[in-house]
Amino acid sequence: MSRLSGWKVLAEGPGPELVLAVDFATTGRSDSSFSDLVPRLGGRFTVWETRQPDTGEGMSAEDYLAWWTREVEESGRTVRAVLGYCAGSVFAGELASRVAAGQAEPPRFLMVDPEVPTPDALHRDFDAMLGQFASVLSAGELAAARQAAATALATAPGFAALGSELVRIFREQAGTAFAREELDMDLLEEFAAVFRSFVSYLDAARGIDPAAAWSAATAVNSLRPTEGALLAARSVAVPVDHVDILRSDLTAGAVEEILSLHAAS
């Protein structure tokens, strides 16, 4: 088939079925990713992971889902399972429902530390991104940026407005860091665009009510289970921190179990 635009192929397995993984995966993030998990599955499955558009600005949840679903349908392949990580679990539940409508047997749905995007979570993610410049920016600059972000969290009229302000603050601080290190300013724009795209992805996810899909899912939970995990039909506890959950062999075991159950049913 032609080159995929909405999906990245993480593994090519021997069979015709697909496993779909939904996440906003970026190079250099501290959180583990499906790229860490897939090698632990032993190469038995073909796994596609969602790609993101350049910015995602103005895209709705429907836009994202239509983009991803179209290429799955065009492949003509059966989807064995849909996996979601964190806020990706919101999209993953709806994607699993749409896939189920087009094939004889519904895919299994497994979500890892599922989370509905909230302003507090976005603020936390901003702080993590800002931390990448801790060795370049002064303590005063970091403190000022964090105070501006806290003010935005307290005063922004909604999630989208908060996101726009955090993108502005992030771009400003990243610009200072890049100039100080004499880095390519074109690279700065690409770097800032990743955060802008992430905010758009989260904002779009908020347009989906995941409750029904999550109530039929299996949740894999780290040491601090999310509120979303409480909605799952079945839970698997993995005693590791959130950032490492997709690096855990226990998580790989839970994924392999759900795929095996599907094959046997």
Side-chain angles (χ1 to χ4, degrees), residues 30-33 85 113 222 240-247:
S30 59
D31 283 19
S32 54
S33 70
Y85 174 70
D113 276 352
S222 60
V240 298
D241 290 331
H242 170 74
V243 296
D244 293 320
I245 194 166
L246 292 176
R247 298 187 185 103

Side-chain angles (χ1 to χ4, degrees), residues 226-256:
T226 60
E227 290 185 10
L230 299 176
L231 298 177
R234 174 174 176 263
S235 291
V236 178
V238 176
V240 298
D241 290 331
H242 170 74
V243 296
D244 293 320
I245 194 166
L246 292 176
R247 298 187 185 103
S248 170
D249 289 336
L250 293 175
T251 302
V255 172
E256 289 186 316

